[in-house]
Amino acid sequence: MEELDTVNLVRVMSDDSIHSSLSSDSCEYYQTEIFDQLPSVQACRLEQNRQSLLEASEANQDGPEPRENISHGHLSRGPKDKASTRPLRNLVMCIQGKRNARDRRKMQISNIGFWDSWRRSQSIYMKRVMAQMGGALKGLLPWQQTLRTINGRFGVGVKAYFVFLRYLVFLNLLHCALISGFILGPTAFYGSSAHLKFGANDSVLDFFLGTGYLDRSPVFFGFYTRGSLNLPCLNTPLLYLAGIFTILFLSLIMVVRRTVVGYKHTWILGKQYSVNVSYKIFCGWDFSIQDRASATLKRSFIRNDLKLFLEEQSFSLREAQRTLPQKVRLYLLRFIFNLIVLSLLGGAFYLIYFATKTSQNMSASEHHWMVSLVLQYLPPITITFVNLFLPHMFRKISSFEDYSFTTQVNATLLRSIFLKLASLGIYLFFVFDQTKNQPCRENIFGREMYKLSNFNFLATLCNAFLFSYPRKLLQEKYPSSLLAHLSGKQHFLIPFNVLDLVYSQTVSWVGVYYCPLLPLIGTVTLMATFYIKKFTVLRCCVAEQRMLRGSSSSVLFHFMLLLGLIMAAVTLGVNFWIPNTNTFSCGPFGNGGSLFNVTGECVARLPSSAQTTLRYLSSEAFALPLILTEVIILTSYVSRGRANQKAIERLKDMLVLSSSDKRFLVKQHATMLRRQKNTGRVRGAAIKEDNPRNNSTVPPSTRTN
Amino acid sequence: MGTTASQLGKDMLSEYQHCVLIHDICFSAHKRFAELLTREEKDLPNIRVSMERILTLPELKSNPFRKRICHVFSTSEQKDGSLTFEDFLDLLSAFSDSATLEIKSHYAFRIFDFDDDGTLDCGDLEKLVNCLTGETDDTRLTTEEMRQLINNVSSLRQSDIDKDGTVNLSEFQHVISRSPDFVR
C-alpha cells in the first residue's frame, strides 16, 4: 500500500515534470531518492548510471499489473513519448540510451498493424532522404569553408558581412537569370544585331566610359529596340518591362522577408534587456574556435562585451542622474555637432553637384584621353571619396556626443546611410536634370550607373591593394617605425563595408532599367569583392575588440538594403511619370512609345471580360474592398499575436507552478522518508493517514489550470 | 556493443547512422578516434581514451569548457572523463551542425552546470563567467562587476522565470531558444 502511494506520487510528478524537466533547486532535494526517479533526471543522467537504471526498469517490469502500466509510462515518458517517430538521433541520450529506445520502439512497432508500420517506416525513410538531400544542398553552398575560417578568427559579425555578401551574389545571379530570360533571350532570337561591330573609332577606353562600342552593345537600354517579335501582347518593350518589374518585385519580397525574420529576433532581443546579457553568457562561447590566439581573442571579446554591457547599464543610471545644467550643455553640444554634420552633408552635396556639372560641361571639349577619362569619372570619384571619408568623420563626431556605445554606432550608421543614399539621389537628380533634352537619355543615365558601379569596384580593389596591404606590409617590415605606429592596427569595420555593399546594390537596382547587364557586372564584381575582402580580412586585419553581434547587425544590413531598393523604385517611378518630350528616344520605346502606350495597346487586345476586370482592379472601387481585406487580415494577425503573448505568459506561469509543485512534492517526500526512518515500521500507519492529505494538496497546478 | 577500435563494422556503422549522424561523419569520427589510440589498444573492444588524450584534440585544445565537455559525455563509472568511441560519437553529434536545438541546449546546460546539481546557481554562473573571460586575475571581472552581472542574469529577471534565484534547464532552454546565434 505504502509503495503504491509512492508510485502514485511519482506519476503525478512525472506528468508535471514533462513541462519543466529539471527544476528543483537547493541541494537538499538532490540527496533524496525521489529525485533520481524523476523522468527528466533519468533522461539526463542515463549515461551516468546506466546500470542502475537497467536494474530499476527490470524491477519495475516484474511488478503487479497496474503498477507495470504506471512504471512503463513513467520510464518511457521523457523525450520518447513526445513523438515516437522522431528520429533517434534527435533524442537527448547517449548511444546506449538510444539503443534501448530503438529496441523499445521495435517492440512497439511489432504490436501495431502492417499498414501502420509500413507507413511509419516510409515516413522515416522519407525523412532520411530529405535530410540527406538537405545536407547535399548545404554542401553545394559556396565558400562554406572560408566562412568557417573567418568565423573562427573574426567572430560572428565579420561572418555576417560575408554571408550578406554571398546573399547579394545569389540575388544578382537570380537577376541575371531573369534578365536573360525576359530581355536577352528574346532579343537574341528576334532582335537585330547589325551594329554589333567594333568600329574604327572605338577604343578600349570605351569599356571604361561606356561610350562608343558599349553604347551600341547590349549593355545599355538603347540596344533593345523593337525587333521582329511584335505581337500586341508579346513584344520587346513589354518583355523588357516585365523583366525589370519582376526583378524589383522579387528583390522586394526577398529583402523584406530577410528583414522581417531578423527583425523578429532583434525585437525580442531589444525588448528584454537582461535576456540579452543571459545570451552573452550562455551563448557567448563559440565552440568552433580552434587556435589558441583566437580563443584568447574571444575571451577578451566576451570580457569587453560584458564590461560594455555593465558600462552601458551604469551609463543609463548616470544619464538618469544628470542635472539640468549638464543636460542643457549636453544638448547644446549635440545640437552643434548635428549642425556640423548637416553642413558637412551640405558641402558634400554641393561638391557632387559641382563635379557633375563640370563633368557634363567639360566632356564635350577636346582633351587628352587621360584628362577626359578623369573628367568623365569625376562624379563617381567625388561620390566615392565623399562616402569614404565622411563616415569616418561621423564616427569621430559621434564619439564626442556622449552617447552610449550602441547609440554611437547606430548614429554613425544612420548618418552614413543617409549620406550614401542622398548623395546618390542628388547625383541622379542632377544627371536627370541635365540629360533631359539629350538624345537617348536612358543610355546616358545607364552610362552613369555603369561608371558608378565600375568605380565602386575599382575603389574596393585599390583600397585593398594600394592601402591596406602596403600598410600591413609596412607594419610587418618596420614594426618600430613612426609611420607604422601612427597607422595603427587595421580593423575590419563591418558597418562601413556593409554600407559599401548596400550602396553598390542600390546602384545596380537603380541602373538595371537603363543598363540591363548591371546584374551580371554586379555578380562578377561581388564575387571578386568576396575574394578581395577575404584577402583583406585574413591577411591585413586584426580582429576587433568590440564586435557587432551577428543577428542584430544583419537586420540593419537588410533594412538598409530595403532603403536602397525603395530608392531604386522611386527613381524608376519618376522616370516613367516624367513625360518623354524629346524626339530622340531610343530603345524598346523607340518611336514615341511609353510604358502606358505599350501596356494600353496590350490591354485593348484582351478579351472584354479581362478588360473590365483590369479596369475594375485599377479603379477606386477596388481600393475600398482591398483596404477592408487588409484591415481584416491585419486585425486577425494582431489578435493572434496577442493570443500567443497570453499563451506564453500562461505557459510561464505553468512553469513556475509546476516547478513549485515539484519542490513541494519533493519536500513532502523527503519529510516522509525522514519520518519513516525515524519511526521505523512501527509507525507506518501514521504515514498512511498522512498520504491522502498529501495527495489532496498535491495538484495546485491542476486547480489553477 | 563490441567494436574493436581498429575497424568499424558495417552493421555498427548503420546503427550509428540511425542513432547519431550522417554517414561520412561516422567514418571520419572513427578515424579521429583511432588516431588517439596506441597500436596495442586498437584491437581491444570498447577501449576508453583518457581525458588527457582527448584534450589533445585541436578542437578542444583552446576550449575553456574542455574538461566539462569530457565529463558530461563520459559514461565512465569513475567519473574521470574518459571516453569510449560511442561517447565520442555522442560528443561529435551534439556539436555537429545537424544537432537540434534541444540537444544542443541540453548538453550546453550540463556543461555549464559545474557542480552537476541540475541547476545553474550563483557558483555555476561565476565559474562560467570566469571560464568565458579567462581565469587569471587580470582578465577576471572584478567582484563588483561579477555581482552586478550575476544579479542581471539570475535574480528576479527574465531568465529566471520561477523567481528562485537559480536558472534551471527549462528556463535555460527558454532563454536559449530565442537566441538566433545559438543554432547556426
Side-chain angles (χ1 to χ4, degrees):
Chain A
M1 196 56 211
E2 193 184 297
E3 247 177 51
L4 205 69
D5 280 329
T6 323
V7 173
N8 262 338
L9 206 65
V10 168
R11 192 190 49 182
V12 170
M13 287 187 51
S14 74
D15 275 334
D16 275 343
S17 53
I18 287 166
H19 303 291
S20 62
S21 347
L22 217 167
S23 76
S24 293
D25 317 289
S26 68
C27 280
E28 57 174 307
Y29 306 132
Y30 305 102
Q31 285 147 12
T32 60
E33 286 149 42
I34 196 168
F35 183 76
D36 282 334
Q37 290 169 21
L38 290 178
S40 53
V41 180
Q42 280 185 350
C44 164
R45 299 221 166 143
L46 204 54
E47 36 276 80
Q48 277 169 11
N49 43 16
R50 190 191 299 162
Q51 287 307 314
S52 65
L53 179 81
L54 280 177
E55 279 161 25
S57 75
E58 274 161 25
N60 278 332
Q61 261 156 26
D62 46 41
E65 257 324 280
R67 203 186 138 190
E68 196 186 308
N69 272 343
I70 293 162
S71 66
H72 184 75
H74 149 71
L75 238 190
S76 56
R77 217 66 202 217
K80 189 195 146 206
D81 264 18
K82 274 187 210 155
S84 56
T85 52
R86 229 172 82 180
L88 275 174
R89 71 170 75 115
N90 288 354
L91 296 185
V92 191
M93 288 174 178
C94 72
I95 289 188
Q96 187 57 42
K98 283 173 181 165
R99 240 180 234 137
N100 295 341
R102 193 189 50 185
D103 293 343
R104 273 203 300 274
R105 261 183 210 186
K106 267 189 187 153
M107 260 155 57
Q108 275 188 345
I109 285 172
S110 64
N111 290 339
I112 60 175
F114 172 74
W115 172 245
D116 257 359
S117 83
W118 182 82
R119 217 180 45 191
R120 208 172 278 188
S121 69
Q122 279 303 304
S123 84
I124 289 173
Y125 178 73
M126 278 310 288
K127 264 181 206 156
R128 211 167 284 162
V129 167
M130 293 304 273
Q132 264 174 3
M133 264 166 56
L137 279 180
K138 231 182 182 179
L140 280 181
L141 275 177
W143 302 323
Q144 209 72 299
Q145 197 52 46
T146 313
L147 285 182
R148 210 164 287 164
T149 324
I150 289 170
N151 189 16
R153 279 184 54 187
F154 294 91
V156 200
V158 180
K159 188 193 159 201
Y161 166 80
F162 280 90
V163 170
F164 184 64
L165 182 52
R166 189 175 65 181
Y167 174 71
L168 286 186
V169 171
F170 288 143
L171 200 68
N172 274 299
L173 270 179
L174 180 74
H175 291 177
C176 285
L178 286 172
I179 290 277
S180 53
F182 276 102
I183 299 173
L184 283 181
T187 317
F189 277 116
Y190 298 102
S192 52
S193 52
H195 39 238
L196 242 187
K197 266 192 196 139
F198 207 78
N201 48 0
D202 295 331
S203 67
V204 188
L205 210 60
D206 287 337
F207 281 101
F208 291 100
L209 296 179
T211 53
Y213 173 72
L214 273 195
D215 202 27
R216 302 189 304 270
S217 72
V219 174
F220 291 118
F221 184 79
F223 177 81
Y224 301 91
T225 48
R226 227 171 223 243
S228 52
L229 184 69
N230 212 353
L231 303 169
C233 272
L234 189 70
N235 48 32
T236 323
L238 266 186
L239 279 177
Y240 197 93
L241 282 176
I244 301 295
F245 282 132
T246 322
I247 283 177
L248 291 182
F249 195 64
L250 267 185
S251 317
L252 183 72
I253 291 175
M254 286 170 77
V255 175
V256 165
R257 219 193 104 244
R258 297 272 292 214
T259 318
V260 168
V261 167
Y263 177 72
K264 238 172 15 194
H265 288 311
T266 338
W267 183 68
I268 295 167
L269 273 177
K271 223 175 91 180
Q272 281 147 355
Y273 208 47
S274 64
V275 170
N276 217 339
V277 74
S278 307
Y279 289 158
K280 284 190 177 112
I281 293 177
F282 294 146
C283 316
W285 190 256
D286 185 343
F287 282 80
S288 60
I289 285 178
Q290 287 195 18
D291 63 288
R292 197 168 285 272
S294 47
T296 329
L297 204 79
K298 182 83 186 170
R299 279 211 182 105
S300 72
F301 166 56
I302 290 174
R303 188 169 56 245
N304 289 330
D305 199 30
L306 290 178
K307 282 195 171 163
L308 183 80
F309 168 79
L310 296 175
E311 224 170 81
E312 294 214 331
Q313 218 181 23
S314 39
F315 177 85
S316 57
L317 264 176
R318 208 175 62 221
E319 202 178 35
Q321 288 166 351
R322 262 186 209 138
T323 56
L324 190 68
Q326 274 176 332
K327 265 186 194 165
V328 171
R329 212 182 307 146
L330 190 69
Y331 284 128
L332 203 68
L333 195 73
R334 281 185 191 167
F335 181 69
I336 292 171
F337 274 122
N338 274 320
L339 275 188
I340 293 177
V341 167
L342 276 182
S343 53
L344 275 176
L345 283 176
F349 295 153
Y350 181 73
L351 209 64
I352 293 166
Y353 169 70
F354 183 71
T356 320
K357 218 171 163 187
T358 319
S359 154
Q360 297 282 342
N361 292 341
M362 304 283 275
S363 55
S365 50
E366 277 301 310
H367 284 295
H368 186 250
W369 67 270
M370 204 52 209
V371 180
S372 73
L373 184 69
V374 170
L375 272 179
Q376 284 272 326
Y377 264 95
L378 198 57
I381 289 174
T382 324
I383 291 181
T384 313
F385 270 93
V386 162
N387 284 338
L388 207 62
F389 288 118
L390 276 191
H392 290 280
M393 285 173 99
F394 291 157
R395 199 158 66 104
K396 280 272 168 291
I397 285 176
S398 69
S399 66
F400 289 118
E401 283 179 303
D402 198 23
Y403 284 127
S404 66
F405 180 71
T406 331
T407 327
Q408 267 180 40
V409 171
N410 287 345
T412 315
L413 264 183
L414 212 69
R415 285 168 185 166
S416 308
I417 189 73
F418 180 71
L419 169 75
K420 288 227 162 183
L421 293 184
S423 62
L424 183 65
I426 283 181
Y427 176 57
L428 287 179
F429 176 73
F430 291 143
V431 172
F432 226 75
D433 207 40
Q434 287 178 351
T435 58
K436 215 184 247 169
N437 295 316
Q438 287 181 15
C440 205
R441 183 186 69 172
E442 283 89 351
N443 261 19
I444 300 175
F445 211 86
R447 208 179 296 152
E448 298 302 323
M449 294 296 109
Y450 176 78
K451 281 190 281 191
L452 264 184
S453 70
N454 272 357
F455 193 75
N456 223 354
F457 176 65
L458 275 180
T460 313
L461 198 72
C462 293
N463 191 15
F465 290 105
L466 299 183
F467 184 65
S468 299
Y469 190 52
R471 198 170 139 192
K472 178 74 183 173
L473 277 184
L474 183 77
Q475 277 173 358
E476 273 176 4
K477 290 268 161 64
Y478 311 101
S480 54
S481 74
L482 183 72
L483 209 59
H485 219 72
L486 275 179
S487 62
K489 281 177 181 169
Q490 295 186 68
H491 298 299
F492 189 77
L493 296 172
I494 307 162
F496 296 152
N497 278 299
V498 169
L499 277 181
D500 282 341
L501 284 186
V502 170
Y503 174 70
S504 68
Q505 187 57 42
T506 309
V507 169
S508 169
W509 272 325
V510 171
V512 72
Y513 176 72
Y514 311 97
C515 175
L517 286 199
L518 264 189
L520 184 66
I521 299 170
T523 315
V524 175
T525 50
L526 279 176
M527 281 192 179
T529 311
F530 188 93
Y531 289 106
I532 293 170
K533 289 291 176 194
K534 181 186 155 192
F535 171 80
T536 320
V537 162
L538 292 180
R539 182 71 184 79
C540 310
C541 288
V542 291
E544 276 272 26
Q545 292 287 313
R546 290 167 166 179
M547 291 188 235
L548 275 165
R549 246 186 126 65
S551 53
S552 52
S553 43
S554 79
V555 184
L556 215 57
F557 302 167
H558 286 101
F559 181 68
M560 292 192 286
L561 206 56
L562 195 62
L563 285 183
L565 187 59
I566 289 171
M567 193 175 142
V570 168
T571 321
L572 202 60
V574 168
N575 185 45
F576 284 138
W577 285 108
I578 286 180
N580 207 349
T581 46
N582 66 50
T583 45
F584 308 103
S585 53
C586 57
F589 308 107
N591 24 23
S594 75
L595 165 72
F596 306 104
N597 289 352
V598 176
T599 44
E601 208 174 285
C602 174
V603 169
R605 292 298 184 89
L606 288 174
S608 59
S609 58
Q611 272 190 47
T612 35
T613 323
L614 274 179
R615 221 162 279 149
Y616 173 68
L617 284 183
S618 58
S619 70
E620 292 92 344
F622 181 63
L624 194 67
L626 191 70
I627 290 172
L628 271 180
T629 340
E630 276 168 8
V631 165
I632 290 170
I633 290 172
L634 270 182
T635 319
S636 84
Y637 270 111
V638 167
S639 55
R640 200 186 295 171
R642 279 199 194 131
N644 284 342
Q645 198 65 43
K646 260 180 208 158
I648 288 170
E649 287 305 317
R650 203 176 302 155
L651 283 175
K652 274 184 190 168
D653 287 345
M654 265 162 72
L655 198 63
V656 176
L657 274 178
S658 61
S659 81
S660 63
D661 279 2
K662 189 159 45 165
R663 252 177 297 154
F664 171 77
L665 287 171
V666 169
K667 221 182 264 171
Q668 287 287 328
H669 181 77
T671 40
M672 240 166 64
L673 281 183
R674 213 172 295 142
R675 212 179 294 167
Q676 214 171 328
K677 259 181 209 162
N678 289 345
T679 53
R681 282 176 177 274
V682 196
R683 304 275 288 272
I687 299 165
K688 229 186 273 177
E689 273 176 19
D690 256 18
N691 275 336
R693 201 185 65 214
N694 280 353
N695 282 339
S696 67
T697 41
V698 157
S701 57
T702 40
R703 246 186 287 144
T704 40
N705 287 346
Chain B
M1 279 292 277
T3 35
T4 61
S6 58
Q7 75 265 349
L8 192 59
K10 208 167 190 179
D11 46 336
M12 289 310 288
L13 181 66
S14 82
E15 188 179 341
Y16 287 146
Q17 274 176 57
H18 281 226
C19 294
V20 205
L21 317 139
I22 16 179
H23 194 128
D24 47 341
I25 302 182
C26 277
F27 267 122
S28 56
H30 191 258
K31 221 176 110 220
R32 294 297 297 277
F33 190 74
E35 281 166 11
L36 294 172
L37 299 168
T38 58
R39 191 172 291 273
E40 302 85 62
E41 285 171 334
K42 280 188 183 174
D43 296 325
L44 300 170
N46 291 323
I47 183 75
R48 283 191 174 278
V49 176
S50 67
M51 182 163 80
E52 285 71 34
R53 242 186 284 165
I54 294 282
L55 293 183
T56 58
L57 284 172
E59 284 84 353
L60 288 178
K61 229 179 204 165
S62 45
N63 195 320
F65 304 105
R66 52 189 181 275
K67 287 191 178 151
R68 283 298 307 162
I69 292 176
C70 282
H71 276 294
V72 164
F73 286 95
S74 169
T75 55
S76 146
E77 256 114 62
Q78 286 93 44
K79 309 215 162 158
D80 56 356
S82 58
L83 300 184
T84 63
F85 176 55
E86 293 184 358
D87 300 339
F88 187 62
L89 269 187
D90 273 333
L91 191 153
L92 285 187
S93 67
F95 281 103
S96 75
D97 289 338
S98 59
T100 59
L101 176 68
E102 192 190 341
I103 291 183
K104 286 195 181 215
S105 58
H106 176 95
Y107 282 114
F109 181 81
R110 289 187 49 202
I111 288 170
F112 296 158
D113 182 14
F114 284 85
D115 49 9
D116 281 320
D117 65 354
T119 170
L120 297 183
D121 48 26
C122 287
D124 289 329
L125 286 175
E126 199 177 322
K127 269 187 197 153
L128 169 57
V129 174
N130 277 340
C131 268
L132 285 174
T133 58
E135 309 259 20
T136 54
D137 277 338
D138 52 332
T139 57
R140 216 179 274 179
L141 296 181
T142 61
T143 332
E144 180 57 28
E145 282 172 329
M146 183 68 85
R147 201 187 48 75
Q148 192 187 347
L149 194 67
I150 287 175
N151 268 348
N152 263 307
V153 177
S154 66
S155 73
L156 307 173
R157 296 294 189 104
Q158 274 294 328
S159 58
D160 180 24
I161 297 169
D162 64 4
K163 316 266 188 259
D164 59 354
T166 60
V167 183
N168 63 42
L169 178 62
S170 41
E171 289 168 346
F172 180 75
Q173 282 176 335
H174 172 78
V175 172
I176 271 191
S177 64
R178 299 168 168 210
S179 164
D181 290 332
F182 191 69
V183 177
R184 278 192 290 264

